[in-house]
Amino acid sequence: MIKKLIRKFLGVKDQRDPTEPLILGAAEHGIDPKLLSSNAIRVTQTLQEAGFKAFVVGGAVRDLLLGVKPKDFDIATNATPEEVKKLFRRAFIIGRRFQIVHVMFGQDLLEVTTFRGAGAANAPKDEHGRVLRDNSFGPQHEDAMRRDFTINAMYYDPATQEVLDYHGGIADIRDKILRIIGQPEARYREDPVRMLRVVRFAAKLQFTIEPTTREPIPVMAPLIDNVPAARVFDEMLKLLMSGHALACLQQLRKEGLHHGLLPLLDVVLEQPIGMKFVTLALESTDNRVKAGKGVSPGFLFASLLWHQVVEKWTAYRAAGESPIPALHLAADDVLDSQTEQLALQRRIASDMRDIWSMQPRFERRNGKTPYKLLEHPRFRAGYDFLLLRCESGEIEMELGEWWTAFYEGDATEREHLVVAANSAPAGAKRKRAPRRAPRNKGAGAEAESAPSEE
Ligand code: ATP
Ligand code: MG
């Protein structure tokens, strides 16, 4: 007890002892227990009642301390994966590199991890020092040491409402500093993906990257090439779907991480023509995420790579292909070049292809054709994509406006629209189309003043 009191008075200095956490009570950390999910409490309680230690850990604690409702809850415990599995009806041990247990309640999934030991030194590594597999368990303070950033290495016990802080995470949250735990070079060597995580968290939280955390990144960036493509892709997806994609990409560029990292990023960040389109696409994705709406990775990647498709599409047409086959050839080329390095999952790639190949079909507004397109299972995504093209100045606003009216209209309005589209001269169509703002994402309203870049 006295030791605990002294620790509190010593504050920051004492936090340097990595085996003894700073313990903060509810009044000190100010976490609102209402932000906790009932299932997270259920899991920690079940584990604790079975005699184990159990805490909410990582990003959820960070978010709780920032007053943000966590999007998911990770649990850390001293129970082994097998011991965890036995306590829950729907629990599955998954993972190779790090074994974890997925505990399911309905649709809700909680990840339960056993405290990791500091045995990384003996873990199998590749020739560059990257840890390949590590399932050695250990005491809680070693688990804290193994985590990436000070702000991600705190534990919250819903029962006592105490926060355990091993590495000065509370102070860093208050000062808005992103600091890696341990020696930065060694930590990036063990797992180069941590460099991408630096970028993601700094951009998402708007934290300053502590200088020694930041310095080695440009030099060590090439180590990311040795990480399996699927893992880089997962982290990139988190980055792009973080609600701060635009800020993250700017930060990647600032840290010198965008070059050669992913072919997709080179394309995205270095194409002057597509920049307006990409910026609009990322803004609208960020807005959707912030508004709690779903975002489809297929739509996102279709947007990021669209201008590459357009370029090739134009080239195939110039070579004499007719528009639709030319578009398919262009889509194949782009997807082939990306799937190799990017591990684009098949489902995502097929969504991208659907969205792209719908585009020329929006141009056809005669007879039954627009009605058929409306029935397309991915119509909504294709239509949203069409609006982005209008907003970026790539194509006439009139087409997007017509489709908005057609999509929202009743049977009679639709009939009139089809007649109007096929009888009026090009200039007159613009006036006839209802000038309602497209109802998707609210971004369309300013679109008309957007200058064309092409
Ligand atoms: P988010 O809110 O974006 O999910 P998060 O911090 O929860 O952020 P996760 O990728 O879900 O991020 O990881 C959960 C926790 O696991 C982290 O907070 C961190 O403690 C630890 N962790 C994740 N990835 C690494 C890594 N590459 N190296 C060390 N620790 C990691
Ligand atoms: Mg998380």
Side-chain angles (χ1 to χ4, degrees), residues 58-59 62 71 74 147-148 152 191 194 197 200 238:
R62 178 195 71 221
K71 63 174 166 43
D74 297 327
R147 292 182 179 271
D148 46 7
N152 281 351
D191 182 8
R194 288 177 186 144
R197 294 176 60 87
R200 173 157 69 91
K238 283 192 184 177

Side-chain angles (χ1 to χ4, degrees), residues 27-340:
E28 293 155 297
H29 57 65
I31 287 178
D32 176 1
K34 286 201 285 295
L35 293 178
L36 234 75
S37 91
S38 54
N39 288 334
I41 299 172
R42 213 158 134 187
V43 173
T44 50
Q45 205 173 359
T46 306
L47 284 160
Q48 288 170 352
E49 280 167 8
F52 298 108
K53 287 189 180 185
F55 300 89
V56 171
V57 71
V61 184
R62 178 195 71 221
D63 290 347
L64 288 169
L65 286 165
L66 291 167
V68 177
K69 192 173 175 58
K71 63 174 166 43
D72 47 40
F73 287 85
D74 297 327
I75 311 292
T77 177
N78 60 350
T80 62
E82 279 77 16
E83 286 168 332
V84 175
K85 189 172 153 53
K86 278 187 206 139
L87 290 172
F88 300 94
R89 203 164 58 82
R90 291 177 64 215
F92 313 92
I93 299 178
I94 60 142
R96 217 171 83 86
R97 191 169 171 276
F98 294 106
Q99 250 187 9
I100 55 180
V101 185
H102 277 176
V103 176
M104 313 278 307
F105 298 107
Q107 291 288 77
D108 197 12
L109 180 148
L110 290 101
E111 285 192 1
V112 183
T113 47
T114 306
F115 295 147
R116 305 287 150 172
N122 308 319
K125 300 196 181 90
D126 73 3
E127 72 269 30
H128 305 280
R130 188 172 65 84
V131 173
L132 295 174
R133 231 176 354 271
D134 190 5
N135 280 310
S136 64
F137 304 133
Q140 190 171 358
H141 70 265
E142 291 187 6
D143 183 81
M145 185 97 83
R146 293 270 310 267
R147 292 182 179 271
D148 46 7
F149 307 108
T150 61
I151 58 165
N152 281 351
M154 289 181 277
Y155 302 78
Y156 178 68
D157 181 344
T160 62
Q161 295 193 20
E162 281 178 339
V163 169
L164 277 60
D165 176 11
Y166 285 88
H167 293 281
I170 291 263
D172 284 344
I173 288 232
R174 285 188 187 138
D175 299 340
K176 295 183 170 293
I177 289 177
L178 186 67
R179 188 193 310 269
I180 198 157
I181 295 170
Q183 208 253 337
E185 283 87 351
R187 302 304 310 280
Y188 296 143
R189 202 170 291 286
E190 279 170 10
D191 182 8
V193 165
R194 288 177 186 144
M195 291 185 267
L196 296 178
R197 294 176 60 87
V198 167
V199 164
R200 173 157 69 91
F201 291 121
K204 172 174 154 174
L205 305 171
Q206 293 181 297
F207 275 28
T208 310
I209 307 169
E210 180 269 330
T212 65
T213 301
R214 177 178 204 167
E215 269 153 26
I217 293 180
V219 181
M220 301 190 76
L223 286 179
I224 296 176
D225 295 344
N226 309 313
V227 178
R231 183 137 187 267
V232 176
F233 180 74
D234 281 351
E235 194 58 38
M236 286 307 299
L237 206 54
K238 283 192 184 177
L239 190 145
L240 292 168
M241 313 266 259
S242 66
H244 304 264
L246 209 50
C248 281
L249 290 189
Q250 280 154 357
Q251 189 89 33
L252 275 179
R253 196 204 285 262
K254 204 163 134 200
E255 303 309 325
L257 272 175
H258 66 295
H259 229 42
L261 170 65
L262 293 177
L264 182 133
L265 279 189
D266 284 347
V267 175
V268 172
L269 294 172
E270 274 151 35
Q271 52 176 356
I273 308 172
M275 210 50 215
K276 168 131 192 130
F277 183 85
V278 164
T279 307
L280 279 172
L282 291 177
E283 262 169 18
S284 103
T285 306
D286 285 350
N287 290 337
R288 282 185 74 89
V289 174
K290 284 178 192 151
K293 295 185 198 162
V295 175
S296 115
F299 187 88
L300 188 60
F301 286 109
S303 316
L304 294 180
L305 294 170
W306 173 240
H307 273 266
Q308 215 186 18
V309 174
V310 170
E311 213 172 90
K312 290 181 196 285
W313 187 18
T314 314
Y316 277 118
R317 282 162 80 173
E321 280 293 346
S322 33
I324 292 184
L327 179 59
H328 284 288
L329 289 170
D332 286 345
D333 283 0
V334 172
L335 285 174
D336 285 350
S337 71
Q338 296 290 334
T339 28
E340 261 176 40

